[in-house]
Amino acid sequence: MKKLINAPDAVLQDALRGVEAAHGDRVRVSYDPAFIVRLDAPVQGKVGIISGGGSGHEPMHGGYVGPGMLDAACPGEVFTSPTPDQMTEATKAVDGGAGVVHIVKNYTGDVMNFDMAAELGRSEDIEVETVLTNDDVAVEDSLYTAGRRGVGVTVLVEKICGGAAEDHKSLKEVADLGRRVNSAGRSMGMALTPCITPGSGNPSFELGDDEVEIGIGIHGEPGRFREKVGPASQIAERLMTPILEDLPFSEGDRVLAFVNGMGGTPLIELYLMYGEVAKIAGEHGLSIERNLIGNFITSLEMQGCSITLLKLDDEMLRYWDAPVNTPALRWGA
Amino acid sequence: MKKLINAPDAVLQDALRGVEAAHGDRVRVSYDPAFIVRLDAPVQGKVGIISGGGSGHEPMHGGYVGPGMLDAACPGEVFTSPTPDQMTEATKAVDGGAGVVHIVKNYTGDVMNFDMAAELGRSEDIEVETVLTNDDVAVEDSLYTAGRRGVGVTVLVEKICGGAAEDHKSLKEVADLGRRVNSAGRSMGMALTPCITPGSGNPSFELGDDEVEIGIGIHGEPGRFREKVGPASQIAERLMTPILEDLPFSEGDRVLAFVNGMGGTPLIELYLMYGEVAKIAGEHGLSIERNLIGNFITSLEMQGCSITLLKLDDEMLRYWDAPVNTPALRWGA
């Protein structure tokens, strides 16, 4: 295993030190319990929004802390759920009296610990609403999940809820909007190579020199099937067909198309994939109103990509376009 | 070789189709000759800025086309210089009567072809100034280069010149500023793994399972030495020491610190490296005024990073902070 780290058990703390050095003018880093929080939190009267999950998916979630998106993020160790005390402290740090939304990817550990944190928050008279993301159409139930896994749509939920909270929507309105985004989004991913967690030092799975895994999870959980690597156009078909059928997406739908890199895939390949996705979307009569292309929810150095389609309505579009000022997503500010 | 491509010889054209599908609302893509140009080019009275080079370094340069940065970018095939006709057509497309700056990384093919394009431009009565970047302290002369290689500082030159051009500085002012940025910037890179070009299908070099190459070039050109992989703190020292000694950087200097990923390295490791860089900079009494962390000048899926330090003056700082609106770098707009 070759990585730019000091020691496997120091990765999270060392990376947080880097975040603090880089963005200390806009976020505060708490080391114990570990969370990253907007410097101006809590914003009085604004719904607070937090998320969290295992590290190794950067920029998710710490890179999305800032005006127009998250108020705080709780990073666990690599591919390990954060603990309830991280979430509880973050919840308290961002509560400006209007309640707090927890955005939770559907993995068993995350769900359990966020549930506990929500209860602890409520016991301190903080209103908490949970928005669960479960947009991965690849498989029902998985290595760390009952039901569908939460993947790419999480980025979109965080941005759109962040915009709505900044616009002083109520706790219920922000949470309902987040749930609507999750319901209208579908994703599927694939891998060319596995990743290696610093703790294990070993590949998360084995894959032949000419094989790809279709429907991979962001921790290397098994997908639907393996096959010989084909052209990008075929890989795009393999991901787009189940996505399009699942919602289903129909002719005339306005969508946001998101091609996400798993961390180790060159951007030139992601743009090439986007060309294939746009072609297929066009053939199905979808109108791509917005797009996002790059590494936004990753699996360490895994090579591969995921595709997310979100069926847009006017409110989602408005809050997607709203100003955002975070290390990883920034516009209009 | 496993890549998200259709065919090795179609990579550039297919990727350009993706760029057009994604960003056709802001750029125009010419396929033959290949270049990406601002939709509103030429901007009358503004100095035009173009750059270019082999593909495989994305988002450089196509991702930097937009208000506040480049007017056009000329992508060659992967790791292959673009041709003079690409550069000449791009030069003509962005000339708004105030002349055009060519930002050229110091590689023999790029320099030769941009020289030819500058002459062709002048023969059509377009004033052209060339800004050469050669900030890599690792080696003197290299596989594709006489003198030092142009690497990370190129991103900073493009942003700062772009800001100055938008502020209606003259051709000479923009070019002189670009040269000053290059002179005040130093970089060095390292690799954990090689990359594989689609054309060859083979790793660009061989590296042992426990080895790193210090001083690597962005096409896998040899660096200074190889050694057993050590902790991130040691790798940061290996890169920072030659950089700091070369300018030299002195106590009290205001700097921009840029930790760049080679394409295949997880963002969590880049933040961890940034923490080490900030620590060393602090020990040397440097004041980091701005930072940039992420994949900005890459080598396909190579794992590794480079560090660039730029000694800032007020004008550089002003134009670094100026609004920019490109696919890969965006703020204040």
Side-chain angles (χ1 to χ4, degrees), chain A residues 2-6 18 22-23 192 208-209 211 231-233 264 268-269 271 274 276 291 293 301 330-333, chain B residues 2-6 18 22-23 58 192 208-209 211 231-233 264 269 271 274 276 291 293 301 330-333:
Chain A
K2 293 193 285 189
K3 289 180 180 291
L4 298 172
I5 63 175
N6 290 312
H23 306 303
L192 295 160
D209 277 349
E211 272 185 333
S233 57
I268 192 171
E269 296 181 27
Y271 269 95
Y274 183 78
E276 302 297 338
N291 62 67
I293 301 157
E301 70 278 61
R330 186 171 173 183
W331 55 72
Chain B
K2 292 194 285 189
K3 289 180 181 291
L4 298 172
I5 63 174
N6 289 313
H23 306 303
E58 289 68 25
L192 296 159
D209 277 349
E211 272 185 333
S233 57
E269 296 181 27
Y271 269 95
Y274 183 79
E276 302 297 337
N291 61 67
I293 301 157
E301 70 277 61
R330 186 170 173 183
W331 55 72

Side-chain angles (χ1 to χ4, degrees), chain A residues 84-104:
Chain A
D85 66 316
Q86 290 176 260
M87 300 159 181
T88 306
E89 289 308 308
T91 301
K92 289 198 272 187
V94 308
D95 177 44
V100 177
V101 170
H102 289 179
I103 298 173
V104 185

Side-chain angles (χ1 to χ4, degrees), chain B residues 100-170:
Chain B
V100 177
V101 171
H102 289 179
I103 298 174
V104 184
K105 301 193 300 299
N106 188 35
Y107 299 95
T108 308
D110 290 352
V111 170
M112 197 173 65
N113 290 353
F114 265 108
D115 271 354
M116 207 175 297
E119 274 182 43
L120 287 167
R122 285 182 201 113
S123 76
E124 305 215 18
D125 289 327
I126 302 172
E127 281 191 277
V128 176
E129 288 273 347
T130 300
V131 175
L132 195 72
T133 63
N134 59 351
D135 52 309
D136 189 341
V137 303
V139 292
E140 198 66 32
D141 300 339
S142 188
L143 204 51
Y144 309 110
T145 322
R148 287 179 168 184
R149 302 177 294 224
V151 287
V153 87
T154 316
V155 182
L156 314 182
V157 170
E158 293 181 3
K159 170 66 184 82
I160 291 170
C161 285
E166 218 72 47
D167 197 25
H168 288 276
K169 293 288 171 188
S170 71

